[in-house]
Amino acid sequence: VAWIGGRNGFLRLIDQTRLPNELVYRDCRTVEEVWQAIRTLQVRGAPAIGLAAAYGLVLAIRPTHPPLASGSARERLAAAASYLRTSRPTAVNLFWALDRMTRAAASTQASSQADLLDVLLQEAHHIYAEDLAMCRAIGEAGLPLLGDGMGVLTHCNAGALAASDYGTALAPLFLAAERGLRFTVYADETRPLLQGARLTAWELTRRGIDTVVICDNTAGQVMKEGRVQLVIVGADRIAANGDTANKIGTYGLAVLARAHRLPFYVAAPSSTFDFSAADGAAVPIEQRDPREVTHGFGRQTVPDGARVYNPAFDVTPAELITGIVTEKGLIRPVSPATIQQTLRTG
Amino acid sequence: VAWIGGRNGFLRLIDQTRLPNELVYRDCRTVEEVWQAIRTLQVRGAPAIGLAAAYGLVLAIRPTHPPLASGSARERLAAAASYLRTSRPTAVNLFWALDRMTRAAASTQASSQADLLDVLLQEAHHIYAEDLAMCRAIGEAGLPLLGDGMGVLTHCNAGALAASDYGTALAPLFLAAERGLRFTVYADETRPLLQGARLTAWELTRRGIDTVVICDNTAGQVMKEGRVQLVIVGADRIAANGDTANKIGTYGLAVLARAHRLPFYVAAPSSTFDFSAADGAAVPIEQRDPREVTHGFGRQTVPDGARVYNPAFDVTPAELITGIVTEKGLIRPVSPATIQQTLRTG
């Protein structure tokens, strides 16, 4: 996720649906293109979605001839924010970023379209810079969890593609590799869209980290064989009590980790917490197109007549989570009190 | 799995790799073709592999001009049995069927190739007939586990394609449907080769049973939501203590079932028990080609440089298994003693 150019610039994304076979960039010049990129998972990962949406609002008031009156620029902005909110329902960073951009617009006196655009572009750049710093800080906070020779299991993709730079769940791994630790990462391939096989394995191998891709159903066996000592995943939304919505399959992994007495960590920025959700039951779960399952690879793999259940996320109860790694420090154990304490004092 | 014709006949299989898109038959006229069909999973499922191998031995001594001397026919048979044993390592029914055919050959005085062939064809037909009866008996034994309105979760394919007629784990479901019960089956798609999505869903929907295909990683969520009340799977080999080798992912499902206090049943014929294996540690686990994971659907989904761990099976410890449904009755609880008792008295 990068903004190319200045006021007349555009949003450049890596089209994540094309990896690992092709590294293709997708340039978005309209709000509609950003909405589409989010909906079709060309850009995905909670922090990355937030960033894309922030820059999407900048595109909403890109320079016009003649310039818009301030009132209609602000109207356009509000409409774009409402529209972008409908792109995906679960990752809270989307709403967090849009709210923050909206507040920035509301708090400026800027009366021209150009001035308003400058304010918003600045704010989006701030979010981006904070995201970079956040990823590094998560990496540092999670680094003590790793040891030389370890096996680490992760699910879906919570790396640089899902955020900026180091990512979230992968940040401690990238940092550990830079500091010379040697370890093996088991990457769940993560059906139906294979973000683990396609994206996580791509990021890890590019950085020279020993990577083993497994089918999702092999995680239990890998744990039973003693191959992993740590499970770490990202998050799309964390409720006030620590219940965590993340890619479907995360919950099952947490149950398996508990059964094998393995530590199970979530890594996410503080913007992933949704204090308006008391617990996981309050988090809306996106249901996605059955064709992701039935025709995921171009060829039909499910007979006509069979139904499909394809939730994009599940919720892992806080009691199965050993700790949450945030840019403000490590929350462990996980409770409303420890969450408040770390996020407030951090 | 069906023998077409008499002495000069051949083995006809449904090519399971082509389902659900195409119903293609594969005719085998040589031992090599049978070996290939087993190795490439055109025929799969523990009892079906045993049947195919039994008929494969018949093909080993198919009529020749001039006829073979009895000694060389028997040599050819022994060589074919050794060869077919190398096709796949885990499912014990393969070895069981080959041993049984070899014993039948050893115990006959037949001195001509034709007479020996008749004996073997008869024995293979017996195995087939017993398999039919066995599937029905497993269906009857498992029927009481089902109730109207239930949700049932299964993994991989243990239906008619994996055996004859009713199959094993699906036999109680087919019988229940025939008797008017209504229920929903959640079929794990079962990566990497999607036997659940392609084969189980095909068998179930053809019989009008309400079928929901899920990604393997969604099973935990389906349990958490209270959608299933029973898990039932097949088996490739069961050790003397009840430890069960079955398709990779079965172990993880059993752990999840235990965490959700759901009954977890294995359905398999008595020929699946291997009393020479004291426990699951003695069962060899087949490692399959990484390309099943990296290129499973024609397109590369894992970057070069990443390794792959692709065991075909895992072992579920007996203590996670509520009961084993056999053609001789229901083994519950599962212990060496209850296994002996049911299989001996049945």
Side-chain angles (χ1 to χ4, degrees), chain A residues 269-315:
Chain A
S270 54
S271 59
T272 306
F273 285 82
D274 175 8
F275 292 106
S276 76
D279 58 32
V283 178
I285 299 297
E286 177 181 9
Q287 301 293 328
R288 291 190 62 88
D289 191 336
R291 287 182 66 91
E292 291 182 350
V293 178
T294 60
H295 294 71
F297 307 92
R299 177 181 142 195
Q300 181 170 354
T301 56
V302 173
D304 299 332
R307 298 191 286 137
V308 166
Y309 180 50
N310 184 26
F313 305 96
D314 58 27
V315 175

Short mmCIF file of all heavy atoms in Angstrom, two decimals, chain A residues 269-315:
data_model
loop_
_atom_site.label_atom_id
_atom_site.label_comp_id
_atom_site.label_asym_id
_atom_site.label_seq_id
_atom_site.Cartn_x
_atom_site.Cartn_y
_atom_site.Cartn_z
N PRO A 269 -2.14 -4.38 16.00
CA PRO A 269 -2.01 -3.02 16.54
C PRO A 269 -3.22 -2.66 17.40
O PRO A 269 -4.26 -3.30 17.32
CB PRO A 269 -1.97 -2.15 15.28
CG PRO A 269 -2.70 -2.94 14.24
CD PRO A 269 -2.42 -4.38 14.56
N SER A 270 -3.04 -1.63 18.20
CA SER A 270 -4.13 -1.22 19.09
C SER A 270 -5.37 -0.80 18.30
O SER A 270 -6.49 -0.87 18.81
CB SER A 270 -3.67 -0.08 20.00
OG SER A 270 -3.14 0.98 19.22
N SER A 271 -5.19 -0.41 17.03
CA SER A 271 -6.34 -0.02 16.22
C SER A 271 -7.25 -1.21 15.89
O SER A 271 -8.35 -1.03 15.37
CB SER A 271 -5.88 0.65 14.92
OG SER A 271 -5.06 -0.22 14.16
N THR A 272 -6.82 -2.42 16.21
CA THR A 272 -7.63 -3.60 15.94
C THR A 272 -8.63 -3.87 17.07
O THR A 272 -9.55 -4.66 16.93
CB THR A 272 -6.70 -4.83 15.75
OG1 THR A 272 -5.75 -4.51 14.73
CG2 THR A 272 -7.46 -6.06 15.31
N PHE A 273 -8.42 -3.20 18.20
CA PHE A 273 -9.35 -3.39 19.32
C PHE A 273 -10.63 -2.60 19.07
O PHE A 273 -10.58 -1.46 18.60
CB PHE A 273 -8.71 -2.94 20.64
CG PHE A 273 -7.68 -3.91 21.15
CD1 PHE A 273 -6.39 -3.91 20.64
CD2 PHE A 273 -8.03 -4.86 22.11
CE1 PHE A 273 -5.44 -4.82 21.09
CE2 PHE A 273 -7.08 -5.77 22.56
CZ PHE A 273 -5.79 -5.76 22.05
N ASP A 274 -11.74 -3.24 19.35
CA ASP A 274 -13.04 -2.58 19.22
C ASP A 274 -13.71 -2.62 20.59
O ASP A 274 -14.33 -3.62 20.97
CB ASP A 274 -13.89 -3.32 18.18
CG ASP A 274 -15.30 -2.76 18.08
OD1 ASP A 274 -15.58 -1.71 18.71
OD2 ASP A 274 -16.12 -3.37 17.38
N PHE A 275 -13.58 -1.52 21.34
CA PHE A 275 -14.11 -1.52 22.70
C PHE A 275 -15.63 -1.40 22.73
O PHE A 275 -16.24 -1.56 23.77
CB PHE A 275 -13.44 -0.40 23.52
CG PHE A 275 -11.98 -0.70 23.75
CD1 PHE A 275 -10.99 -0.02 23.06
CD2 PHE A 275 -11.61 -1.71 24.64
CE1 PHE A 275 -9.65 -0.32 23.26
CE2 PHE A 275 -10.27 -2.02 24.84
CZ PHE A 275 -9.29 -1.32 24.16
N SER A 276 -16.23 -1.15 21.56
CA SER A 276 -17.69 -1.14 21.52
C SER A 276 -18.24 -2.56 21.48
O SER A 276 -19.43 -2.79 21.68
CB SER A 276 -18.19 -0.34 20.31
OG SER A 276 -18.02 -1.11 19.13
N ALA A 277 -17.37 -3.53 21.21
CA ALA A 277 -17.78 -4.94 21.24
C ALA A 277 -17.33 -5.53 22.57
O ALA A 277 -16.14 -5.64 22.83
CB ALA A 277 -17.15 -5.70 20.08
N ALA A 278 -18.31 -5.87 23.41
CA ALA A 278 -17.96 -6.39 24.73
C ALA A 278 -17.24 -7.72 24.60
O ALA A 278 -16.27 -7.99 25.31
CB ALA A 278 -19.22 -6.55 25.57
N ASP A 279 -17.72 -8.54 23.67
CA ASP A 279 -17.05 -9.81 23.44
C ASP A 279 -17.22 -10.22 21.97
O ASP A 279 -17.80 -9.49 21.17
CB ASP A 279 -17.56 -10.89 24.39
CG ASP A 279 -19.06 -11.09 24.25
OD1 ASP A 279 -19.59 -10.92 23.12
OD2 ASP A 279 -19.72 -11.42 25.25
N GLY A 280 -16.73 -11.41 21.66
CA GLY A 280 -16.70 -11.85 20.27
C GLY A 280 -18.07 -11.97 19.63
O GLY A 280 -18.19 -11.86 18.40
N ALA A 281 -19.10 -12.19 20.44
CA ALA A 281 -20.44 -12.35 19.88
C ALA A 281 -20.90 -11.09 19.17
O ALA A 281 -21.80 -11.13 18.31
CB ALA A 281 -21.43 -12.74 20.98
N ALA A 282 -20.30 -9.94 19.51
CA ALA A 282 -20.71 -8.67 18.91
C ALA A 282 -19.99 -8.38 17.59
O ALA A 282 -20.25 -7.36 16.96
CB ALA A 282 -20.44 -7.53 19.90
N VAL A 283 -19.11 -9.26 17.18
CA VAL A 283 -18.34 -9.01 15.95
C VAL A 283 -19.06 -9.63 14.75
O VAL A 283 -19.33 -10.84 14.76
CB VAL A 283 -16.91 -9.60 16.06
CG1 VAL A 283 -16.14 -9.40 14.76
CG2 VAL A 283 -16.17 -8.98 17.24
N PRO A 284 -19.39 -8.82 13.75
CA PRO A 284 -20.05 -9.38 12.56
C PRO A 284 -19.07 -10.23 11.76
O PRO A 284 -17.92 -9.85 11.59
CB PRO A 284 -20.47 -8.15 11.77
CG PRO A 284 -19.52 -7.08 12.19
CD PRO A 284 -19.13 -7.38 13.61
N ILE A 285 -19.53 -11.38 11.30
CA ILE A 285 -18.68 -12.28 10.54
C ILE A 285 -19.11 -12.27 9.07
O ILE A 285 -20.25 -12.57 8.75
CB ILE A 285 -18.75 -13.72 11.10
CG1 ILE A 285 -18.26 -13.75 12.55
CG2 ILE A 285 -17.94 -14.69 10.23
CD1 ILE A 285 -16.81 -13.36 12.75
N GLU A 286 -18.17 -11.93 8.22
CA GLU A 286 -18.45 -11.87 6.78
C GLU A 286 -18.64 -13.28 6.22
O GLU A 286 -17.82 -14.17 6.44
CB GLU A 286 -17.25 -11.19 6.10
CG GLU A 286 -17.34 -11.10 4.59
CD GLU A 286 -16.11 -10.43 3.98
OE1 GLU A 286 -15.13 -10.19 4.72
OE2 GLU A 286 -16.14 -10.14 2.77
N GLN A 287 -19.73 -13.45 5.47
CA GLN A 287 -19.95 -14.69 4.72
C GLN A 287 -19.56 -14.43 3.28
O GLN A 287 -20.04 -13.48 2.68
CB GLN A 287 -21.42 -15.12 4.80
CG GLN A 287 -21.93 -15.34 6.22
CD GLN A 287 -21.28 -16.54 6.90
OE1 GLN A 287 -20.93 -17.51 6.24
NE2 GLN A 287 -21.12 -16.46 8.22
N ARG A 288 -18.69 -15.27 2.73
CA ARG A 288 -18.21 -14.98 1.38
C ARG A 288 -18.80 -15.94 0.35
O ARG A 288 -19.47 -16.92 0.67
CB ARG A 288 -16.67 -14.96 1.36
CG ARG A 288 -16.13 -13.75 2.14
CD ARG A 288 -14.65 -13.55 1.97
NE ARG A 288 -14.26 -13.29 0.59
CZ ARG A 288 -14.22 -12.09 0.01
NH1 ARG A 288 -14.52 -11.02 0.71
NH2 ARG A 288 -13.84 -11.96 -1.24
N ASP A 289 -18.55 -15.62 -0.90
CA ASP A 289 -19.12 -16.34 -2.04
C ASP A 289 -18.76 -17.83 -2.00
O ASP A 289 -17.59 -18.18 -1.90
CB ASP A 289 -18.56 -15.69 -3.31
CG ASP A 289 -19.27 -16.16 -4.58
OD1 ASP A 289 -19.85 -17.27 -4.57
OD2 ASP A 289 -19.22 -15.42 -5.58
N PRO A 290 -19.78 -18.70 -2.11
CA PRO A 290 -19.49 -20.15 -2.14
C PRO A 290 -18.50 -20.53 -3.24
O PRO A 290 -17.79 -21.52 -3.12
CB PRO A 290 -20.85 -20.78 -2.43
CG PRO A 290 -21.84 -19.79 -1.93
CD PRO A 290 -21.22 -18.44 -2.15
N ARG A 291 -18.44 -19.73 -4.30
CA ARG A 291 -17.54 -20.08 -5.40
C ARG A 291 -16.07 -20.04 -4.99
O ARG A 291 -15.24 -20.67 -5.64
CB ARG A 291 -17.79 -19.17 -6.61
CG ARG A 291 -19.10 -19.50 -7.33
CD ARG A 291 -19.31 -18.62 -8.56
NE ARG A 291 -18.32 -18.87 -9.60
CZ ARG A 291 -18.48 -19.74 -10.58
NH1 ARG A 291 -19.57 -20.46 -10.66
NH2 ARG A 291 -17.53 -19.91 -11.48
N GLU A 292 -15.75 -19.31 -3.93
CA GLU A 292 -14.36 -19.38 -3.44
C GLU A 292 -14.00 -20.81 -3.07
O GLU A 292 -12.84 -21.22 -3.19
CB GLU A 292 -14.19 -18.48 -2.20
CG GLU A 292 -14.27 -17.00 -2.51
CD GLU A 292 -14.03 -16.14 -1.28
OE1 GLU A 292 -13.99 -16.68 -0.15
OE2 GLU A 292 -13.91 -14.92 -1.44
N VAL A 293 -15.00 -21.56 -2.60
CA VAL A 293 -14.76 -22.95 -2.21
C VAL A 293 -14.98 -23.90 -3.39
O VAL A 293 -14.18 -24.81 -3.63
CB VAL A 293 -15.67 -23.36 -1.03
CG1 VAL A 293 -15.46 -24.82 -0.65
CG2 VAL A 293 -15.42 -22.45 0.17
N THR A 294 -16.04 -23.65 -4.15
CA THR A 294 -16.42 -24.62 -5.19
C THR A 294 -15.60 -24.49 -6.46
O THR A 294 -15.44 -25.46 -7.19
CB THR A 294 -17.91 -24.46 -5.58
OG1 THR A 294 -18.12 -23.13 -6.08
CG2 THR A 294 -18.81 -24.70 -4.39
N HIS A 295 -15.08 -23.28 -6.74
CA HIS A 295 -14.34 -23.04 -7.97
C HIS A 295 -13.05 -22.29 -7.68
O HIS A 295 -12.60 -21.49 -8.49
CB HIS A 295 -15.17 -22.23 -8.96
CG HIS A 295 -16.38 -22.92 -9.49
ND1 HIS A 295 -17.49 -23.18 -8.72
CD2 HIS A 295 -16.66 -23.43 -10.72
CE1 HIS A 295 -18.40 -23.80 -9.45
NE2 HIS A 295 -17.93 -23.98 -10.66
N GLY A 296 -12.46 -22.57 -6.52
CA GLY A 296 -11.34 -21.76 -6.07
C GLY A 296 -10.13 -21.81 -6.97
O GLY A 296 -9.27 -20.94 -6.92
N PHE A 297 -10.04 -22.82 -7.81
CA PHE A 297 -8.82 -22.99 -8.59
C PHE A 297 -9.12 -23.06 -10.07
O PHE A 297 -8.39 -23.67 -10.84
CB PHE A 297 -8.11 -24.26 -8.13
CG PHE A 297 -7.88 -24.26 -6.65
CD1 PHE A 297 -8.79 -24.83 -5.79
CD2 PHE A 297 -6.77 -23.63 -6.12
CE1 PHE A 297 -8.59 -24.81 -4.43
CE2 PHE A 297 -6.57 -23.60 -4.76
CZ PHE A 297 -7.48 -24.19 -3.91
N GLY A 298 -10.24 -22.44 -10.45
CA GLY A 298 -10.58 -22.42 -11.86
C GLY A 298 -11.45 -23.59 -12.25
O GLY A 298 -12.31 -23.47 -13.10
N ARG A 299 -11.24 -24.70 -11.60
CA ARG A 299 -11.95 -25.92 -11.94
C ARG A 299 -12.97 -26.20 -10.83
O ARG A 299 -12.71 -25.94 -9.67
CB ARG A 299 -10.91 -27.02 -12.03
CG ARG A 299 -11.41 -28.39 -12.29
CD ARG A 299 -10.22 -29.36 -12.31
NE ARG A 299 -10.61 -30.60 -11.68
CZ ARG A 299 -9.80 -31.55 -11.27
NH1 ARG A 299 -8.50 -31.41 -11.42
NH2 ARG A 299 -10.25 -32.64 -10.72
N GLN A 300 -14.13 -26.72 -11.20
CA GLN A 300 -15.15 -27.02 -10.19
C GLN A 300 -14.72 -28.21 -9.34
O GLN A 300 -14.39 -29.27 -9.86
CB GLN A 300 -16.48 -27.32 -10.88
CG GLN A 300 -17.61 -27.61 -9.89
CD GLN A 300 -18.97 -27.67 -10.56
OE1 GLN A 300 -19.11 -27.39 -11.75
NE2 GLN A 300 -19.99 -28.03 -9.80
N THR A 301 -14.75 -28.04 -8.03
CA THR A 301 -14.32 -29.13 -7.14
C THR A 301 -15.43 -29.61 -6.21
O THR A 301 -15.20 -30.49 -5.39
CB THR A 301 -13.10 -28.71 -6.29
OG1 THR A 301 -13.44 -27.52 -5.57
CG2 THR A 301 -11.88 -28.44 -7.16
N VAL A 302 -16.60 -29.00 -6.33
CA VAL A 302 -17.75 -29.41 -5.52
C VAL A 302 -18.91 -29.64 -6.48
O VAL A 302 -19.14 -28.82 -7.37
CB VAL A 302 -18.13 -28.30 -4.51
CG1 VAL A 302 -19.42 -28.63 -3.78
CG2 VAL A 302 -16.99 -28.07 -3.52
N PRO A 303 -19.63 -30.75 -6.33
CA PRO A 303 -20.72 -31.02 -7.28
C PRO A 303 -21.87 -30.02 -7.11
O PRO A 303 -22.09 -29.51 -6.01
CB PRO A 303 -21.17 -32.43 -6.91
CG PRO A 303 -20.77 -32.61 -5.48
CD PRO A 303 -19.51 -31.82 -5.31
N ASP A 304 -22.57 -29.77 -8.19
CA ASP A 304 -23.81 -28.99 -8.10
C ASP A 304 -24.73 -29.71 -7.11
O ASP A 304 -24.74 -30.93 -7.05
CB ASP A 304 -24.49 -28.91 -9.46
CG ASP A 304 -23.60 -28.22 -10.49
OD1 ASP A 304 -22.77 -27.38 -10.10
OD2 ASP A 304 -23.74 -28.55 -11.68
N GLY A 305 -25.49 -28.96 -6.37
CA GLY A 305 -26.43 -29.59 -5.45
C GLY A 305 -25.93 -29.59 -4.02
O GLY A 305 -26.71 -29.68 -3.08
N ALA A 306 -24.63 -29.49 -3.85
CA ALA A 306 -24.09 -29.38 -2.49
C ALA A 306 -24.09 -27.91 -2.09
O ALA A 306 -23.81 -27.03 -2.90
CB ALA A 306 -22.68 -29.95 -2.41
N ARG A 307 -24.44 -27.65 -0.83
CA ARG A 307 -24.35 -26.29 -0.32
C ARG A 307 -22.92 -26.06 0.19
O ARG A 307 -22.14 -26.98 0.30
CB ARG A 307 -25.34 -26.09 0.82
CG ARG A 307 -26.80 -26.27 0.37
CD ARG A 307 -27.77 -25.80 1.44
NE ARG A 307 -27.88 -26.69 2.58
CZ ARG A 307 -27.91 -26.30 3.85
NH1 ARG A 307 -27.81 -25.01 4.16
NH2 ARG A 307 -28.04 -27.18 4.84
N VAL A 308 -22.63 -24.80 0.49
CA VAL A 308 -21.30 -24.45 1.00
C VAL A 308 -21.48 -23.49 2.16
O VAL A 308 -22.35 -22.63 2.15
CB VAL A 308 -20.45 -23.78 -0.11
CG1 VAL A 308 -19.22 -23.11 0.47
CG2 VAL A 308 -20.05 -24.79 -1.17
N TYR A 309 -20.68 -23.66 3.20
CA TYR A 309 -20.65 -22.70 4.31
C TYR A 309 -19.26 -22.08 4.30
O TYR A 309 -18.27 -22.79 4.48
CB TYR A 309 -20.94 -23.44 5.62
CG TYR A 309 -20.94 -22.56 6.85
CD1 TYR A 309 -21.69 -21.38 6.89
CD2 TYR A 309 -20.22 -22.92 7.99
CE1 TYR A 309 -21.69 -20.58 8.01
CE2 TYR A 309 -20.23 -22.12 9.13
CZ TYR A 309 -20.97 -20.96 9.13
OH TYR A 309 -20.97 -20.16 10.26
N ASN A 310 -19.19 -20.79 4.04
CA ASN A 310 -17.90 -20.14 3.81
C ASN A 310 -17.75 -18.84 4.60
O ASN A 310 -17.64 -17.75 4.03
CB ASN A 310 -17.73 -19.87 2.30
CG ASN A 310 -16.37 -19.27 1.96
OD1 ASN A 310 -15.40 -19.47 2.68
ND2 ASN A 310 -16.31 -18.54 0.86
N PRO A 311 -17.72 -18.94 5.93
CA PRO A 311 -17.45 -17.73 6.72
C PRO A 311 -15.99 -17.34 6.56
O PRO A 311 -15.11 -18.20 6.52
CB PRO A 311 -17.75 -18.18 8.15
CG PRO A 311 -17.48 -19.65 8.16
CD PRO A 311 -17.83 -20.15 6.76
N ALA A 312 -15.72 -16.04 6.44
CA ALA A 312 -14.34 -15.59 6.23
C ALA A 312 -13.55 -15.59 7.54
O ALA A 312 -12.32 -15.63 7.51
CB ALA A 312 -14.33 -14.20 5.61
N PHE A 313 -14.27 -15.54 8.66
CA PHE A 313 -13.59 -15.40 9.95
C PHE A 313 -14.22 -16.29 11.00
O PHE A 313 -15.34 -16.77 10.82
CB PHE A 313 -13.66 -13.93 10.42
CG PHE A 313 -13.12 -12.96 9.42
CD1 PHE A 313 -13.96 -12.30 8.53
CD2 PHE A 313 -11.76 -12.71 9.34
CE1 PHE A 313 -13.45 -11.43 7.57
CE2 PHE A 313 -11.25 -11.84 8.39
CZ PHE A 313 -12.09 -11.20 7.51
N ASP A 314 -13.51 -16.49 12.08
CA ASP A 314 -14.12 -17.07 13.26
C ASP A 314 -13.62 -16.27 14.46
O ASP A 314 -12.80 -15.36 14.32
CB ASP A 314 -13.81 -18.57 13.40
CG ASP A 314 -12.32 -18.89 13.44
OD1 ASP A 314 -11.51 -18.03 13.87
OD2 ASP A 314 -11.95 -20.00 13.03
N VAL A 315 -14.16 -16.57 15.63
CA VAL A 315 -13.79 -15.84 16.84
C VAL A 315 -13.13 -16.81 17.81
O VAL A 315 -13.70 -17.84 18.15
CB VAL A 315 -15.01 -15.18 17.49
CG1 VAL A 315 -14.62 -14.53 18.82
CG2 VAL A 315 -15.62 -14.13 16.55
#
